[in-house]
Amino acid sequence: GEFQANYVAAAILMPLHLVPRDPHEMSAEEIASLFGVSVTAAKIRKPELERLFRRKHRIGRPEPAFVRAYLEENGFKRP
């Protein structure tokens, strides 16, 4: 449907392999300028670029602060 068409269009217009650095360090405005798309489109695509970047580089997603605090309070230590 329309969702899938929008997803594919964003992937074609803003592919990860053309992002020059970690998308976590880029603003939506920078991504929009880089690819010649609207800031709104870049804001929608940015989380997906970040997820794909983490996956490509095998970077785990950091746990939320409240989870980290709970684990530390209950004696769990990070390896």
Side-chain angles (χ1 to χ4, degrees):
E2 185 177 349
F3 172 80
Q4 291 87 352
N6 289 339
Y7 183 87
V8 170
I12 291 169
L13 291 172
M14 297 174 274
L16 178 63
H17 73 275
L18 294 180
V19 176
R21 64 182 196 276
D22 183 346
H24 294 88
E25 299 171 356
M26 297 178 71
S27 68
E29 290 78 11
E30 289 176 289
I31 293 169
S33 176
L34 176 67
F35 292 111
V37 298
S38 70
V39 174
T40 301
K43 284 180 181 178
I44 293 169
R45 178 72 171 151
K46 187 175 182 329
E48 181 71 5
L49 289 171
E50 292 169 348
R51 187 188 67 76
L52 292 170
F53 181 86
R54 284 192 310 270
R55 181 185 229 181
K56 178 180 179 182
H57 295 282
R58 298 179 182 214
I59 300 169
R61 186 171 65 184
E63 65 275 351
F66 73 91
V67 171
R68 192 170 36 255
Y70 174 83
L71 293 173
E72 289 173 1
E73 288 170 8
N74 290 285
F76 293 94
K77 302 291 180 199
R78 290 185 63 92

Coordinates of all heavy atoms in Angstrom, one line a residue:
G1 N 0.8 -1.2 0.0 CA 0.0 0.0 0.0 C 0.9 1.3 0.0 O 2.0 1.3 -0.4
E2 N 0.2 2.3 0.4 CA 0.9 3.6 0.4 C 2.1 3.7 1.4 O 3.1 4.3 1.1 CB -0.1 4.7 0.8 CG 0.4 6.1 0.7 CD -0.6 7.2 1.1 OE1 -1.8 6.8 1.2 OE2 -0.2 8.3 1.2
F3 N 2.0 3.0 2.5 CA 3.1 3.0 3.5 C 4.3 2.4 2.9 O 5.4 2.9 3.0 CB 2.7 2.2 4.8 CG 3.9 2.0 5.7 CD1 4.3 3.0 6.5 CD2 4.6 0.8 5.7 CE1 5.4 2.8 7.4 CE2 5.7 0.6 6.5 CZ 6.1 1.6 7.4
Q4 N 4.1 1.2 2.2 CA 5.3 0.6 1.6 C 5.9 1.4 0.5 O 7.1 1.5 0.3 CB 4.9 -0.8 1.0 CG 4.5 -1.8 2.1 CD 3.1 -1.8 2.5 OE1 2.3 -0.9 2.2 NE2 2.7 -2.7 3.4
A5 N 5.0 2.1 -0.3 CA 5.5 3.0 -1.4 C 6.3 4.1 -0.8 O 7.4 4.4 -1.3 CB 4.3 3.5 -2.2
N6 N 5.9 4.7 0.3 CA 6.6 5.8 0.9 C 8.0 5.3 1.5 O 9.0 6.0 1.4 CB 5.8 6.4 2.1 CG 4.6 7.2 1.5 OD1 4.7 7.7 0.4 ND2 3.6 7.4 2.3
Y7 N 8.0 4.1 2.1 CA 9.2 3.5 2.6 C 10.2 3.3 1.5 O 11.4 3.6 1.7 CB 8.8 2.2 3.3 CG 10.0 1.5 4.0 CD1 10.4 1.9 5.3 CD2 10.8 0.6 3.3 CE1 11.5 1.3 5.9 CE2 11.9 0.0 3.9 CZ 12.2 0.4 5.2 OH 13.3 -0.2 5.8
V8 N 9.8 2.7 0.4 CA 10.7 2.4 -0.7 C 11.2 3.7 -1.3 O 12.4 3.9 -1.6 CB 10.0 1.5 -1.7 CG1 10.9 1.4 -3.0 CG2 9.8 0.1 -1.2
A9 N 10.3 4.7 -1.4 CA 10.7 6.0 -2.0 C 11.8 6.6 -1.1 O 12.8 7.2 -1.6 CB 9.5 6.9 -2.1
A10 N 11.6 6.6 0.2 CA 12.6 7.2 1.1 C 13.9 6.5 1.0 O 15.0 7.1 1.1 CB 12.1 7.1 2.6
A11 N 13.9 5.1 0.9 CA 15.1 4.3 0.8 C 15.8 4.7 -0.5 O 17.1 4.7 -0.5 CB 14.8 2.9 0.9
I12 N 15.1 4.9 -1.5 CA 15.7 5.3 -2.8 C 16.3 6.7 -2.8 O 17.4 6.9 -3.2 CB 14.7 5.1 -4.0 CG1 14.4 3.6 -4.2 CG2 15.3 5.7 -5.3 CD1 13.3 3.3 -5.1
L13 N 15.6 7.6 -2.2 CA 16.0 9.0 -2.2 C 17.1 9.3 -1.2 O 17.9 10.2 -1.4 CB 14.8 9.9 -1.9 CG 13.7 10.0 -3.0 CD1 12.5 10.8 -2.5 CD2 14.3 10.7 -4.2
M14 N 17.1 8.5 -0.1 CA 18.0 8.8 1.0 C 18.7 7.5 1.5 O 18.5 7.0 2.6 CB 17.3 9.4 2.2 CG 16.7 10.8 1.9 SD 15.7 11.4 3.3 CE 14.1 10.7 2.9
P15 N 19.5 6.9 0.6 CA 20.1 5.6 1.0 C 21.3 5.7 2.0 O 22.0 6.7 2.0 CB 20.7 5.1 -0.4 CG 21.0 6.3 -1.2 CD 19.9 7.3 -0.7
L16 N 21.4 4.8 2.9 CA 22.4 4.8 3.9 C 23.8 4.9 3.3 O 24.6 5.7 3.9 CB 22.3 3.6 4.8 CG 23.4 3.5 5.9 CD1 23.2 4.6 6.9 CD2 23.3 2.1 6.6
H17 N 24.1 4.2 2.2 CA 25.5 4.2 1.7 C 25.9 5.6 1.2 O 27.1 5.7 1.0 CB 25.6 3.1 0.7 CG 25.0 3.4 -0.6 ND1 23.6 3.2 -0.9 CD2 25.5 4.0 -1.8 CE1 23.4 3.6 -2.1 NE2 24.5 4.1 -2.7
L18 N 25.0 6.5 1.1 CA 25.4 7.9 0.7 C 25.5 8.8 1.8 O 25.9 10.0 1.6 CB 24.5 8.4 -0.4 CG 24.5 7.7 -1.8 CD1 23.5 8.3 -2.7 CD2 25.9 7.6 -2.4
V19 N 25.2 8.4 3.0 CA 25.4 9.2 4.2 C 26.8 9.2 4.6 O 27.4 8.2 4.8 CB 24.5 8.7 5.4 CG1 24.7 9.5 6.6 CG2 23.0 8.7 5.0
P20 N 27.5 10.4 4.6 CA 28.9 10.5 4.8 C 29.4 10.2 6.2 O 30.6 9.9 6.4 CB 29.2 12.0 4.5 CG 28.0 12.7 4.8 CD 26.9 11.7 4.5
R21 N 28.6 10.2 7.2 CA 29.0 9.9 8.6 C 27.8 9.3 9.4 O 26.7 9.2 8.9 CB 29.6 11.1 9.2 CG 28.7 12.3 9.4 CD 29.5 13.5 10.0 NE 28.6 14.4 10.6 CZ 28.0 15.4 9.9 NH1 28.2 15.5 8.6 NH2 27.3 16.3 10.6
D22 N 28.1 9.1 10.6 CA 27.1 8.5 11.5 C 25.8 9.4 11.5 O 25.9 10.6 11.9 CB 27.6 8.4 12.9 CG 26.7 7.8 13.9 OD1 25.5 7.6 13.6 OD2 27.2 7.5 15.0
P23 N 24.7 8.9 11.1 CA 23.5 9.7 11.0 C 23.0 10.2 12.4 O 22.2 11.2 12.5 CB 22.4 8.8 10.4 CG 23.0 7.4 10.4 CD 24.4 7.5 10.6
H24 N 23.5 9.6 13.5 CA 23.1 10.0 14.8 C 23.7 11.4 15.1 O 23.2 12.2 15.9 CB 23.7 9.1 15.9 CG 23.1 7.8 15.9 ND1 23.5 6.7 15.1 CD2 22.0 7.3 16.6 CE1 22.8 5.7 15.4 NE2 21.9 6.0 16.2
E25 N 24.8 11.7 14.4 CA 25.5 13.0 14.5 C 25.1 14.1 13.5 O 25.6 15.2 13.5 CB 27.0 12.8 14.4 CG 27.6 11.8 15.4 CD 29.0 11.4 15.1 OE1 29.6 11.8 14.1 OE2 29.6 10.7 16.0
M26 N 24.1 13.7 12.7 CA 23.6 14.6 11.7 C 22.2 15.1 12.0 O 21.4 14.4 12.6 CB 23.5 14.0 10.3 CG 24.9 13.5 9.8 SD 24.8 12.7 8.2 CE 24.4 14.1 7.1
S27 N 21.9 16.4 11.7 CA 20.5 16.9 11.9 C 19.7 16.5 10.7 O 20.2 16.2 9.6 CB 20.6 18.4 12.1 OG 20.9 19.0 10.9
A28 N 18.4 16.6 10.9 CA 17.4 16.3 9.8 C 17.7 17.4 8.7 O 17.6 17.1 7.5 CB 16.0 16.4 10.3
E29 N 18.0 18.6 9.1 CA 18.3 19.6 8.1 C 19.5 19.3 7.3 O 19.5 19.5 6.0 CB 18.5 21.0 8.8 CG 17.3 21.6 9.4 CD 16.9 20.9 10.8 OE1 17.7 20.1 11.4 OE2 15.7 21.2 11.2
E30 N 20.6 18.7 7.9 CA 21.7 18.3 7.1 C 21.4 17.2 6.1 O 21.8 17.2 5.0 CB 22.9 17.8 8.0 CG 23.5 18.9 8.8 CD 24.5 18.3 9.8 OE1 24.1 17.7 10.8 OE2 25.8 18.5 9.5
I31 N 20.6 16.2 6.6 CA 20.2 15.1 5.7 C 19.3 15.6 4.6 O 19.5 15.2 3.4 CB 19.4 14.0 6.6 CG1 20.4 13.4 7.6 CG2 18.8 13.0 5.7 CD1 19.8 12.5 8.6
A32 N 18.4 16.5 4.9 CA 17.6 17.1 3.8 C 18.4 17.8 2.8 O 18.2 17.7 1.6 CB 16.6 18.1 4.5
S33 N 19.4 18.6 3.2 CA 20.3 19.3 2.3 C 21.1 18.4 1.5 O 21.3 18.6 0.3 CB 21.2 20.3 3.1 OG 22.1 20.9 2.3
L34 N 21.6 17.3 2.1 CA 22.5 16.3 1.4 C 21.7 15.7 0.3 O 22.3 15.5 -0.8 CB 22.9 15.3 2.4 CG 23.7 14.1 1.9 CD1 25.1 14.6 1.4 CD2 23.9 13.1 3.0
F35 N 20.4 15.3 0.5 CA 19.7 14.6 -0.5 C 18.7 15.4 -1.3 O 18.0 14.8 -2.2 CB 19.0 13.4 0.2 CG 19.9 12.3 0.7 CD1 20.1 12.1 2.1 CD2 20.6 11.5 -0.1 CE1 20.9 11.2 2.6 CE2 21.5 10.6 0.3 CZ 21.6 10.4 1.7
G36 N 18.5 16.7 -0.9 CA 17.6 17.5 -1.7 C 16.2 17.1 -1.4 O 15.3 17.2 -2.4
V37 N 15.8 16.8 -0.2 CA 14.5 16.4 0.2 C 14.0 17.4 1.2 O 14.8 18.2 1.7 CB 14.4 15.0 0.7 CG1 14.8 14.0 -0.4 CG2 15.2 14.8 2.0
S38 N 12.7 17.3 1.6 CA 12.2 18.2 2.6 C 12.7 17.8 4.0 O 13.1 16.7 4.2 CB 10.7 18.2 2.6 OG 10.2 16.9 3.1
V39 N 12.7 18.8 4.9 CA 13.2 18.5 6.3 C 12.2 17.5 6.9 O 12.6 16.6 7.6 CB 13.2 19.8 7.1 CG1 13.5 19.5 8.6 CG2 14.3 20.7 6.5
T40 N 10.9 17.6 6.6 CA 10.0 16.6 7.1 C 10.3 15.2 6.7 O 10.3 14.3 7.5 CB 8.5 17.0 6.6 OG1 8.2 18.3 7.1 CG2 7.5 16.0 7.2
A41 N 10.6 15.0 5.4 CA 11.0 13.7 4.9 C 12.3 13.2 5.6 O 12.4 12.0 6.0 CB 11.2 13.8 3.4
A42 N 13.2 14.1 5.8 CA 14.5 13.7 6.5 C 14.2 13.4 7.9 O 14.8 12.4 8.5 CB 15.5 14.9 6.4
K43 N 13.3 14.1 8.6 CA 13.0 13.8 10.0 C 12.3 12.4 10.1 O 12.6 11.7 11.1 CB 12.0 14.8 10.6 CG 12.7 16.1 10.9 CD 11.7 17.1 11.5 CE 12.3 18.4 11.8 NZ 11.4 19.4 12.4
I44 N 11.5 12.0 9.1 CA 10.9 10.7 9.1 C 11.9 9.6 8.8 O 11.8 8.6 9.4 CB 9.7 10.7 8.1 CG1 8.6 11.6 8.5 CG2 9.2 9.3 7.9 CD1 7.5 11.9 7.5
R45 N 12.8 9.9 7.9 CA 13.8 8.9 7.5 C 15.0 8.7 8.5 O 15.6 7.6 8.6 CB 14.4 9.2 6.1 CG 15.4 8.3 5.6 CD 14.9 7.0 5.2 NE 16.0 6.3 4.5 CZ 16.1 5.0 4.4 NH1 15.2 4.2 5.0 NH2 17.1 4.4 3.8
K46 N 15.3 9.8 9.3 CA 16.5 9.8 10.2 C 16.5 8.6 11.1 O 17.5 7.9 11.2 CB 16.6 11.1 10.9 CG 17.8 11.3 11.7 CD 17.9 12.7 12.3 CE 19.1 13.0 13.1 NZ 19.8 12.1 13.9
P47 N 15.4 8.3 11.9 CA 15.5 7.1 12.8 C 15.8 5.8 12.1 O 16.6 5.0 12.6 CB 14.1 7.1 13.4 CG 13.6 8.4 13.2 CD 14.2 9.0 12.0
E48 N 15.3 5.6 10.9 CA 15.6 4.4 10.1 C 17.1 4.4 9.7 O 17.7 3.4 9.7 CB 14.7 4.3 8.9 CG 14.9 3.1 8.0 CD 14.4 1.8 8.7 OE1 13.8 1.9 9.8 OE2 14.7 0.8 8.1
L49 N 17.6 5.6 9.2 CA 19.0 5.6 8.9 C 19.9 5.3 10.1 O 20.9 4.6 10.0 CB 19.4 7.0 8.4 CG 18.9 7.4 7.0 CD1 19.1 8.8 6.7 CD2 19.5 6.5 5.9
E50 N 19.5 5.8 11.3 CA 20.2 5.5 12.5 C 20.2 4.0 12.8 O 21.2 3.4 13.2 CB 19.7 6.3 13.7 CG 19.9 7.8 13.5 CD 19.1 8.6 14.5 OE1 18.2 8.1 15.2 OE2 19.4 9.9 14.6
R51 N 19.0 3.4 12.7 CA 18.9 2.0 13.0 C 19.7 1.2 12.0 O 20.4 0.2 12.4 CB 17.4 1.6 12.9 CG 17.2 0.1 13.3 CD 15.7 -0.3 13.0 NE 15.5 -0.4 11.6 CZ 15.9 -1.4 10.8 NH1 16.6 -2.4 11.3 NH2 15.6 -1.4 9.5
L52 N 19.7 1.5 10.7 CA 20.5 0.8 9.7 C 22.0 0.9 10.0 O 22.7 0.0 9.8 CB 20.1 1.3 8.3 CG 18.7 0.9 7.9 CD1 18.4 1.7 6.6 CD2 18.5 -0.6 7.7
F53 N 22.4 2.1 10.4 CA 23.8 2.4 10.7 C 24.2 1.5 11.8 O 25.3 0.9 11.8 CB 24.0 3.9 11.0 CG 25.4 4.2 11.3 CD1 26.3 4.5 10.3 CD2 25.9 4.2 12.6 CE1 27.6 4.9 10.5 CE2 27.2 4.5 12.9 CZ 28.1 4.8 11.8
R54 N 23.4 1.5 12.9 CA 23.8 0.6 14.1 C 23.9 -0.9 13.7 O 24.8 -1.6 14.1 CB 22.7 0.8 15.2 CG 22.8 2.0 16.0 CD 22.0 2.0 17.3 NE 20.6 1.6 17.0 CZ 19.6 2.4 16.8 NH1 19.8 3.7 16.7 NH2 18.4 1.9 16.6
R55 N 22.9 -1.3 12.9 CA 22.9 -2.7 12.4 C 24.2 -3.0 11.6 O 24.8 -4.0 11.7 CB 21.7 -3.0 11.6 CG 21.5 -4.4 11.2 CD 20.3 -4.5 10.3 NE 19.5 -5.6 10.7 CZ 18.4 -6.0 10.2 NH1 17.9 -5.3 9.2 NH2 17.8 -7.1 10.6
K56 N 24.5 -2.1 10.6 CA 25.6 -2.3 9.7 C 26.9 -2.4 10.5 O 27.8 -3.2 10.2 CB 25.7 -1.1 8.7 CG 26.8 -1.2 7.8 CD 26.8 0.0 6.8 CE 28.0 -0.1 5.9 NZ 28.1 1.1 5.0
H57 N 27.0 -1.6 11.5 CA 28.3 -1.5 12.3 C 28.2 -2.3 13.6 O 29.1 -2.2 14.4 CB 28.6 0.0 12.6 CG 29.0 0.7 11.3 ND1 30.2 0.6 10.7 CD2 28.2 1.6 10.6 CE1 30.1 1.4 9.6 NE2 29.0 2.0 9.5
R58 N 27.2 -3.1 13.7 CA 27.0 -4.0 14.9 C 27.1 -3.2 16.2 O 27.8 -3.7 17.1 CB 27.9 -5.2 14.8 CG 27.7 -6.0 13.6 CD 28.7 -7.2 13.6 NE 28.4 -7.9 12.4 CZ 28.5 -9.2 12.3 NH1 28.9 -9.9 13.3 NH2 28.3 -9.8 11.1
I59 N 26.4 -2.1 16.2 CA 26.4 -1.3 17.4 C 25.1 -1.5 18.1 O 24.0 -1.3 17.5 CB 26.5 0.2 17.1 CG1 27.8 0.5 16.4 CG2 26.4 1.1 18.3 CD1 27.9 1.9 15.7
G60 N 25.1 -2.0 19.4 CA 23.9 -2.2 20.1 C 23.2 -0.9 20.5 O 23.9 0.2 20.7
R61 N 21.9 -0.9 20.6 CA 21.2 0.3 21.0 C 21.4 0.4 22.5 O 21.2 -0.5 23.3 CB 19.7 0.1 20.7 CG 18.9 1.4 20.9 CD 17.5 1.3 20.3 NE 16.8 0.2 21.0 CZ 15.6 -0.1 20.7 NH1 15.0 0.4 19.7 NH2 15.0 -1.1 21.4
P62 N 21.7 1.6 23.0 CA 21.9 1.8 24.4 C 20.6 1.7 25.2 O 19.6 2.1 24.7 CB 22.5 3.2 24.6 CG 22.1 3.9 23.3 CD 22.0 2.8 22.2
E63 N 20.7 1.0 26.4 CA 19.5 0.9 27.1 C 19.1 2.2 27.7 O 19.9 3.1 28.0 CB 19.6 -0.2 28.2 CG 20.6 0.2 29.3 CD 22.1 -0.2 29.0 OE1 22.3 -0.8 28.0 OE2 22.9 0.2 29.7
P64 N 17.8 2.4 28.0 CA 17.3 3.7 28.6 C 17.9 3.8 30.0 O 18.2 2.9 30.7 CB 15.8 3.5 28.6 CG 15.5 2.5 27.6 CD 16.7 1.6 27.6
A65 N 18.1 5.1 30.4 CA 18.7 5.4 31.7 C 17.9 4.7 32.9 O 18.5 4.2 33.8 CB 18.7 6.9 31.9
F66 N 16.6 4.6 32.8 CA 15.8 4.0 33.9 C 16.1 2.5 34.0 O 16.1 1.9 35.0 CB 14.3 4.3 33.8 CG 13.6 3.5 32.7 CD1 13.0 2.3 32.9 CD2 13.5 4.1 31.4 CE1 12.4 1.6 32.0 CE2 12.9 3.4 30.4 CZ 12.3 2.1 30.7
V67 N 16.4 1.9 32.8 CA 16.7 0.4 32.8 C 18.1 0.3 33.5 O 18.3 -0.6 34.3 CB 16.7 -0.2 31.4 CG1 17.2 -1.6 31.4 CG2 15.2 -0.1 30.9
R68 N 19.0 1.1 33.0 CA 20.4 1.0 33.6 C 20.4 1.2 35.1 O 21.0 0.5 35.9 CB 21.3 2.1 32.9 CG 22.7 1.9 33.1 CD 23.6 2.8 32.3 NE 23.1 4.2 31.9 CZ 22.5 4.5 30.8 NH1 22.5 3.6 29.8 NH2 22.1 5.7 30.6
A69 N 19.6 2.2 35.6 CA 19.5 2.5 37.0 C 18.9 1.3 37.7 O 19.4 0.9 38.8 CB 18.7 3.8 37.2
Y70 N 17.8 0.7 37.2 CA 17.2 -0.4 37.8 C 18.2 -1.6 38.0 O 18.3 -2.2 39.0 CB 16.0 -0.8 37.0 CG 15.3 -2.1 37.5 CD1 14.5 -2.1 38.6 CD2 15.6 -3.3 37.0 CE1 13.9 -3.3 39.1 CE2 15.1 -4.5 37.4 CZ 14.2 -4.5 38.5 OH 13.7 -5.6 39.0
L71 N 18.9 -1.9 36.9 CA 19.8 -3.0 36.9 C 20.9 -2.7 37.9 O 21.3 -3.6 38.7 CB 20.4 -3.2 35.5 CG 19.4 -3.7 34.5 CD1 20.1 -3.7 33.1 CD2 18.9 -5.1 34.9
E72 N 21.5 -1.5 38.0 CA 22.5 -1.2 38.9 C 22.0 -1.3 40.4 O 22.7 -1.8 41.3 CB 23.1 0.2 38.7 CG 23.9 0.2 37.4 CD 24.4 1.6 37.0 OE1 24.0 2.6 37.7 OE2 25.0 1.7 35.9
E73 N 20.8 -0.8 40.6 CA 20.2 -0.9 42.0 C 20.0 -2.3 42.4 O 20.0 -2.6 43.6 CB 18.8 -0.2 42.0 CG 18.9 1.3 41.9 CD 17.6 2.0 41.7 OE1 16.5 1.3 41.8 OE2 17.5 3.2 41.4
N74 N 19.8 -3.2 41.5 CA 19.6 -4.6 41.8 C 20.8 -5.5 41.6 O 20.7 -6.7 41.5 CB 18.4 -5.1 41.0 CG 17.1 -4.5 41.5 OD1 16.6 -4.9 42.5 ND2 16.6 -3.5 40.7
G75 N 22.0 -4.9 41.6 CA 23.2 -5.7 41.7 C 23.8 -6.2 40.3 O 24.7 -6.9 40.3
F76 N 23.1 -5.8 39.2 CA 23.7 -6.2 37.9 C 24.7 -5.2 37.5 O 24.5 -4.0 37.5 CB 22.5 -6.3 36.9 CG 21.5 -7.3 37.2 CD1 20.4 -7.0 37.9 CD2 21.7 -8.6 36.8 CE1 19.4 -8.0 38.2 CE2 20.8 -9.6 37.0 CZ 19.6 -9.3 37.8
K77 N 25.8 -5.8 37.0 CA 26.9 -4.9 36.5 C 27.1 -5.2 35.0 O 26.9 -6.3 34.5 CB 28.2 -5.2 37.2 CG 28.1 -5.1 38.8 CD 28.0 -3.6 39.1 CE 27.9 -3.5 40.6 NZ 27.4 -2.2 41.1
R78 N 27.5 -4.1 34.3 CA 27.8 -4.3 32.9 C 29.1 -5.0 32.7 O 30.0 -4.8 33.5 CB 27.9 -2.9 32.2 CG 26.6 -2.2 32.1 CD 26.7 -0.9 31.4 NE 27.1 -1.1 30.0 CZ 26.3 -1.2 29.0 NH1 25.1 -1.2 29.1 NH2 26.8 -1.4 27.8
P79 N 29.2 -5.9 31.7 CA 30.4 -6.7 31.5 C 31.5 -5.8 31.0 O 31.4 -4.7 30.5 CB 30.0 -7.7 30.4 CG 28.7 -7.3 29.9 CD 28.1 -6.3 30.8

